[in-house]
Amino acid sequence: MSNNAERPPQTRGLTAIAGAMSLIAVLLIVQIWLLSAALESFLAGKRGSALPAAIFSGVMFLICFGLYLFVDRVDSNVRDSSREQ
Amino acid sequence: MKWLRRSSSDPLWKEEFSVRAGDERYVTRRQLTKFLVLTSLGMFVGNLWILVRSLFYQAPTYPHLTIARMGEIPVGGAKLFTFPSKEDRCILVRTAENEHVGYSQKCTHLSCAVYYSPESDRLECPCHKGFFSVVDGSVLQGPPPRPLPRIILENRGDEIVAVAVKVS
């Protein structure tokens, strides 16, 4: 096992980005399920689930957006450090 | 919309076809992340659309339509009719001497036409063997996800009148 500090910044950055992307992918799958479930119940005439579904979907989008900002920051940090080298 | 812009000052083509092999991996991952986040936004917008439709939902009004006369159908028999529009096919079943039930003929699975089976006393969809109860339209077996929409009937003298559709 190599020490994380010994690894080059590009490799560390890629690991962080891959982790963030995996989280985004999981959240996206949950959002897709949520949308299909909300649509299903809306078409079945049950309108009570639309509000909680929209709130949870919004929260998940905000988390995805936060992870995207994180990826963007890691990306620019690694890019800058690799340019300096 | 600063966050949507690329962090680098280089043009996109220069990033995508970078001379540094390591940078290419970054570009594809970053763009995929952006695509995933935009898809997430799309899902959220879809949920908002459902919410808006739910908030501004207005119960539809239905015409009152005479669909049959008492005694026109034998016990255990069925009659097809359209309600509320000419495109909405429905089925009327006489389950007892003075009892009629009406349902939409569209299967809730893939919209095949259901028919009444007097032998098994249920409504059957021939496409994927979806069976519905003739008592309340609930799913007895098969892939349909929801009960059949029920047609609310009223007896007015000698006539059976369809007055509303109840989606459960």
Side-chain angles (χ1 to χ4, degrees):
Chain A
M1 287 271 305
S2 63
N3 188 356
N4 197 38
E6 290 170 4
R7 293 161 73 188
Q10 279 217 339
T11 314
R12 270 183 284 151
L14 275 176
T15 309
I17 289 174
M21 276 175 62
S22 309
L23 268 174
I24 291 173
V26 169
L27 287 171
L28 194 57
I29 290 166
V30 175
Q31 267 193 310
I32 292 168
W33 170 80
L34 201 58
L35 180 64
S36 63
L39 187 63
E40 176 71 30
S41 72
F42 172 72
L43 292 176
K46 294 166 191 158
R47 287 165 191 89
S49 59
L51 181 63
I55 290 170
F56 279 112
S57 187
V59 168
M60 277 185 269
F61 165 66
L62 287 177
I63 296 170
C64 283
F65 182 61
L67 285 168
Y68 170 72
L69 292 180
F70 168 74
V71 166
D72 201 45
R73 201 187 63 195
V74 170
D75 179 39
S76 51
N77 286 348
V78 173
R79 209 175 276 266
D80 291 344
S81 63
S82 64
R83 282 212 181 89
E84 283 164 12
Q85 286 169 4
Chain B
M1 303 291 271
K2 183 179 171 292
W3 50 271
L4 274 178
R5 278 186 235 129
R6 282 172 296 116
S7 52
S8 169
S9 56
D10 289 338
L12 183 63
W13 66 268
K14 210 169 179 179
E15 286 187 25
E16 285 183 337
F17 300 99
S18 173
V19 288
R20 295 187 184 115
D23 283 358
E24 280 182 9
R25 286 179 294 173
Y26 271 95
V27 172
T28 49
R29 278 166 174 76
R30 196 153 32 86
Q31 286 181 347
L32 178 62
T33 310
K34 193 182 281 184
F35 170 75
L36 290 176
V37 173
L38 286 174
T39 312
S40 170
L41 176 65
M43 296 295 125
F44 177 47
V45 169
N47 266 305
L48 279 182
W49 177 76
I50 293 172
L51 176 64
V52 169
R53 288 288 303 266
S54 299
L55 291 176
F56 293 97
Y57 175 77
Q58 288 178 332
T61 53
Y62 298 103
H64 289 197
L65 195 70
T66 303
I67 52 171
R69 296 191 172 279
M70 296 293 278
E72 184 184 328
I73 310 166
V75 175
K79 181 189 178 182
L80 301 180
F81 63 100
T82 58
F83 182 79
S85 71
K86 292 284 177 198
E87 285 77 38
D88 300 312
R89 294 180 180 279
C90 303
I91 185 165
L92 176 73
V93 181
R94 187 174 181 186
T95 52
E97 193 60 35
N98 291 316
E99 202 176 306
H100 294 79
V101 287
Y103 296 101
S104 167
Q105 218 193 348
K106 260 189 201 173
C107 178
T108 51
H109 178 221
L110 290 175
S111 300
C112 291
V114 299
Y115 66 91
Y116 176 63
S117 168
E119 296 81 28
S120 47
D121 193 32
R122 65 190 177 194
L123 293 156
E124 298 185 357
C125 176
C127 294
H128 302 99
K129 299 291 173 201
F131 301 150
F132 300 89
S133 164
V134 78
V135 178
D136 55 3
S138 60
V139 181
L140 297 175
Q141 178 194 306
R146 292 185 300 277
L148 285 173
R150 185 167 189 158
I151 311 298
I152 308 297
L153 304 172
E154 279 181 10
N155 293 337
R156 292 183 186 167
D158 192 31
E159 294 178 334
I160 300 164
V161 182
V163 294
V165 180
K166 187 184 174 195
V167 181
S168 54

